[in-house]
Amino acid sequence: MKNIINFLFFVLLSMLILITFWENISDHQVNQRLNVGAYASPTLSHPVTNEKILLPLGTDEFRRDYAVTLSSAFRYNILISIFGSLSFLIFGVGLGLGMGLIQHNFNQSKKYSFKYILKDFCDIITEFFQSVPLLIVLIISVLFFQLHIQNPEIRLSLTIFILSLFSSPKLSIQLEGIINKLRKEEFILAAKASGISQYSLIFKHILYYESKGVLILQTINFFLFSIMIEIFLTYFGKGSSHDQISLGNLISRYDVNISEIGRLINMQMYQDVVLTITPFVFIILLCLSIRWLGNRVLIITETK
């Protein structure tokens, strides 16, 4: 049964990868209007040359290949989320190592010791980031960047960057706990006594062998969180620009009256509902497949 589930998730992930790179595979461009009617079906032939046109998801109301549009939106959100995830990972690991590896020696003066100042800085920054609610950070960041930065894409990137900083305690505190656990077990002291270098101790033993599960799962969580932030901000007009194709713009483009969904009489409204729901479906599938991939990576690395 597990093999069947893994195979289905592998197929699902392959489909999402195909959609992500469909913009490179297809002959159509993102803003290209096809010589077909709006909401064309996937099985379509060119009206003049009778050549078969491959439209896996049909067209939108602008007569554009919807698979190409969705591919461009996916790629934009993935790049933004990778940027935020890397920032989250770097700051989380840096703060966690600073808090866990540096221990105060109360028998000697720490007034002019840089490493003790660094530890105090990591402790204070982590406490500050953890104390401020993310919703307050989000509101202040949006208002501040809205006043001082004109480019919506830069505003969105900086907002996600700020959120990655204030979310870093979710990783740094767990990493500090792992290091403290190793210290109580005298693993770190024994490793140093056996001649293991500081580089090998940190990157091989602490980050890889002991903390890879926390690093992968927390980074995946923030990756998916970044996608949701873009959708949320863009839906309310505070995210990416209207000219930028993103998942948030695809969702906010269609104004569907929920009370009328039960009586879909004309084809246009039906297609509007389908085009509105499609990004949600792909987002849910992306969340499931990314989490499955992270768990598979953990299982494979733990068995080696």
Side-chain angles (χ1 to χ4, degrees):
M1 186 65 182
K2 289 184 178 180
N3 293 333
I4 297 176
I5 295 176
N6 290 332
F7 176 76
L8 293 177
F9 271 111
F10 177 78
V11 173
L12 173 61
L13 183 63
S14 301
M15 291 175 57
L16 292 176
I17 294 175
L18 179 62
I19 288 294
T20 303
F21 291 97
W22 186 257
E23 184 180 358
N24 302 102
I25 300 173
S26 176
D27 295 330
H28 308 140
Q29 298 177 358
V30 180
N31 296 318
Q32 176 185 2
R33 287 176 178 262
L34 304 179
N35 190 18
V36 296
Y39 306 117
S41 62
T43 56
L44 186 68
S45 298
H46 195 279
V48 178
T49 62
N50 205 29
E51 181 183 356
K52 188 174 181 181
I53 301 176
L54 182 59
L55 303 172
L57 298 178
T59 58
D60 59 12
E61 76 277 20
F62 302 113
R63 297 181 299 173
R64 299 181 303 189
D65 186 347
Y66 190 64
V68 173
T69 303
L70 189 62
S71 173
S72 179
F74 252 64
R75 184 173 304 181
Y76 175 80
N77 280 76
I78 288 175
L79 290 177
I80 288 290
S81 300
I82 289 176
F83 165 74
S85 300
L86 289 177
S87 303
F88 168 81
L89 183 63
I90 292 172
F91 279 97
V93 170
L95 292 175
L97 292 177
M99 293 186 299
L101 288 178
I102 304 175
Q103 294 293 311
H104 284 309
N105 186 358
F106 296 100
N107 294 325
Q108 91 180 58
S109 175
K110 60 173 183 176
K111 184 176 181 180
Y112 300 106
S113 177
F114 173 77
K115 66 176 184 179
Y116 293 144
I117 296 176
L118 180 61
K119 175 177 173 55
D120 291 338
F121 173 79
C122 293
D123 290 335
I124 294 172
I125 290 296
T126 300
E127 185 67 27
F128 174 72
F129 285 165
Q130 190 180 21
S131 301
V132 182
L134 277 181
L135 181 59
I136 300 298
V137 176
L138 177 62
I139 295 174
I140 294 176
S141 300
V142 170
L143 294 178
F144 179 81
F145 295 135
Q146 194 82 22
L147 292 175
H148 295 85
I149 298 177
Q150 298 297 325
N151 191 318
E153 316 308 328
I154 297 178
R155 288 202 303 260
L156 178 62
S157 299
L158 290 177
T159 301
I160 293 179
F161 176 74
I162 296 299
L163 290 175
S164 70
L165 298 185
F166 281 83
S167 300
S168 59
K170 295 180 180 179
L171 177 58
S172 61
I173 292 177
Q174 292 191 46
L175 184 57
E176 181 193 16
I178 293 173
I179 295 175
N180 289 335
K181 177 176 175 291
L182 294 175
R183 191 181 300 278
K184 289 180 180 179
E185 295 173 354
E186 297 186 351
F187 171 81
I188 295 179
L189 183 62
K192 291 180 178 179
S194 62
I196 295 178
S197 65
Q198 189 79 357
Y199 177 88
S200 178
L201 174 64
I202 293 175
F203 290 96
K204 183 177 180 180
H205 294 278
I206 295 178
L207 295 182
Y208 180 74
Y209 287 122
E210 301 294 336
S211 308
K212 61 177 179 290
V214 172
L215 296 179
I216 291 175
L217 294 180
Q218 289 297 335
T219 304
I220 288 176
N221 288 339
F222 192 83
F223 176 86
L224 300 176
F225 175 72
S226 300
I227 293 179
M228 302 307 155
I229 286 296
E230 188 279 327
I231 295 173
F232 175 79
L233 293 179
T234 304
Y235 185 84
F236 290 101
K238 304 298 182 182
S240 58
S241 63
H242 295 292
D243 298 331
Q244 174 64 51
I245 298 178
S246 66
L247 292 177
N249 277 322
L250 291 184
I251 291 174
S252 61
R253 178 184 300 165
Y254 304 102
D255 186 13
V256 180
N257 191 342
I258 301 298
S259 62
E260 297 180 0
I261 290 182
R263 45 192 182 87
L264 298 175
I265 300 175
N266 54 70
M267 187 65 177
Q268 179 177 352
M269 185 172 179
Y270 171 77
Q271 290 291 348
D272 285 343
V273 174
V274 171
L275 294 179
T276 304
I277 293 176
T278 300
F280 284 107
V281 174
F282 275 91
I283 291 168
I284 294 173
L285 296 179
L286 178 66
C287 294
L288 293 174
S289 59
I290 291 295
R291 289 189 177 278
W292 169 82
L293 180 62
N295 290 328
R296 292 305 303 171
V297 171
L298 284 177
I299 292 174
I300 292 174
T301 53
E302 286 176 357
T303 54
K304 288 185 177 181

